[in-house]
Amino acid sequence: MAYTRETQKLIYWLFASYANFRIGADPDAKLNEYDLYIAKKELKRLYIKASGYKADSKSLETYLTVLADNTDAETFKILSKAYIKSMQDFAINNDDFSLCLSLLSQEKANKFVDFLFDFMIEHNIPIRKEIAELYDETQKNKYIFSLLLHKKCCVCGKPITGPHHIDRVGTQGYKNDTGLDKRLSPLCPYHHAEIETGNYTNEEFKEKYPSFDYMLCDEKQIEILKDVYPHHFQAFEEGKNGI
């Protein structure tokens, strides 16, 4: 099933943000077609490398084989999938792939969007405000986890030293904390202190800073975050703390 035009629009907004970053322009600046083309090529090439996907080097020949060998009632469905795969594999072999709505599934488009957001956050690339808000609304947990992973504040984007615990860890600190029953928020030291010393409720802090948010991590996510924050989640043991 083809992915949505809204997701396609989001992808091209992210392309534009990266293109403007490359030339030192504001995220909302107007682009020429060449700069946008180069940005698209670079990000697609990086995604292909990061995904580890190995394209069929003889994709069109494979399609012709399927065409010749399948004549049952499912032929159309089989051939459609084979055709799409052959077209994409042909492009991937040349460090590219199509973003045409009919040639990319929603699942694959979402994975590409996740990669683009992680790349932008990791490399401190400014993006248009409405892009972050859209992603935050539609895929909040992925966005917050990415900020936690890359140690970026959800309010200002500055480095964080440790996640803010929405739910108190208690007098024993992190010794009894598995991380699995405590909601986490990526806040820099300044905003971390502000929410705690200002006696804000979560709702009040979000009203002041709309990008503020938090999440409850699963076991796999805590396993990853424990390497990022070695002094946190001391009670977590892989494979023993699932809830």
Side-chain angles (χ1 to χ4, degrees):
M1 183 177 180
Y3 72 115
T4 65
R5 192 168 295 279
E6 287 74 18
T7 304
Q8 187 184 56
K9 183 178 181 180
L10 177 58
I11 289 172
Y12 274 86
W13 276 356
L14 289 164
F15 283 158
S17 293
Y18 178 62
N20 278 321
F21 173 76
R22 290 183 72 260
I23 61 175
D26 184 84
D28 298 307
K30 187 176 181 180
L31 278 166
N32 64 55
E33 290 298 319
Y34 177 75
D35 288 328
L36 182 59
Y37 169 78
I38 294 299
K40 285 166 58 179
K41 292 287 287 185
E42 285 189 7
L43 288 173
K44 286 181 178 181
R45 184 172 65 251
L46 288 168
Y47 178 64
I48 291 169
K49 183 178 180 180
S51 69
Y53 181 75
K54 301 298 182 183
D56 183 352
S57 61
K58 297 182 178 180
S59 55
L60 294 179
E61 290 90 333
T62 301
Y63 170 71
L64 292 174
T65 299
V66 173
L67 180 63
D69 293 346
N70 289 273
T71 56
D72 54 44
E74 295 293 318
T75 297
F76 180 77
K77 182 178 180 181
I78 293 171
L79 295 184
S80 295
K81 288 184 178 180
Y83 175 76
I84 290 172
K85 185 176 186 302
S86 67
M87 293 294 290
Q88 291 288 25
D89 282 359
F90 182 79
I92 288 172
N93 278 316
N94 292 282
D95 290 330
D96 198 0
F97 57 90
S98 175
L99 292 170
C100 175
L101 291 175
S102 61
L103 292 180
L104 200 64
S105 69
Q106 187 64 50
E107 180 184 4
K108 290 181 178 179
N110 288 343
K111 288 181 179 179
F112 187 42
V113 169
D114 289 344
F115 167 80
L116 292 175
F117 260 97
D118 282 345
F119 181 82
M120 299 289 188
I121 291 170
E122 183 177 1
H123 293 87
N124 299 308
I125 299 172
I127 58 177
R128 293 166 60 172
K129 183 178 179 181
E130 61 265 34
I131 298 177
E133 290 175 349
L134 174 63
Y135 193 72
D136 186 22
E137 290 173 3
T138 57
Q139 302 189 56
K140 186 201 77 172
N141 281 356
K142 289 183 180 179
Y143 181 64
I144 294 300
F145 182 73
S146 184
L147 290 173
L148 286 167
L149 184 62
H150 296 298
K151 306 179 81 170
K152 307 285 184 178
C153 180
C154 61
V155 173
C156 64
K158 292 182 179 178
I160 73 175
T161 55
H164 167 59
H165 284 72
I166 299 295
D167 308 295
R168 300 291 181 180
V169 295
T171 57
Q172 294 297 315
Y174 303 122
K175 292 181 179 179
N176 296 325
D177 180 27
T178 65
L180 296 170
D181 59 347
K182 303 290 189 298
R183 295 169 295 174
L184 304 174
S185 178
L187 292 177
C188 68
Y190 175 83
H191 290 107
H192 196 162
E194 182 181 6
I195 192 173
E196 291 196 339
T197 60
N199 293 317
Y200 288 94
T201 66
N202 295 326
E203 292 73 21
E204 290 170 341
F205 206 65
K206 189 167 181 62
E207 185 176 350
K208 183 176 182 179
Y209 300 112
S211 61
F212 165 71
D213 226 318
Y214 46 85
M215 67 176 293
L216 186 65
C217 294
D218 60 28
E219 187 169 356
K220 183 176 180 181
Q221 290 168 328
I222 293 297
E223 182 183 340
I224 295 171
L225 292 179
K226 190 173 182 180
D227 289 334
V228 179
Y229 306 100
H231 300 297
H232 290 69
F233 322 121
Q234 293 179 20
F236 177 82
E237 294 183 52
E238 183 180 349
K240 297 182 179 180
N241 300 118
I243 59 173

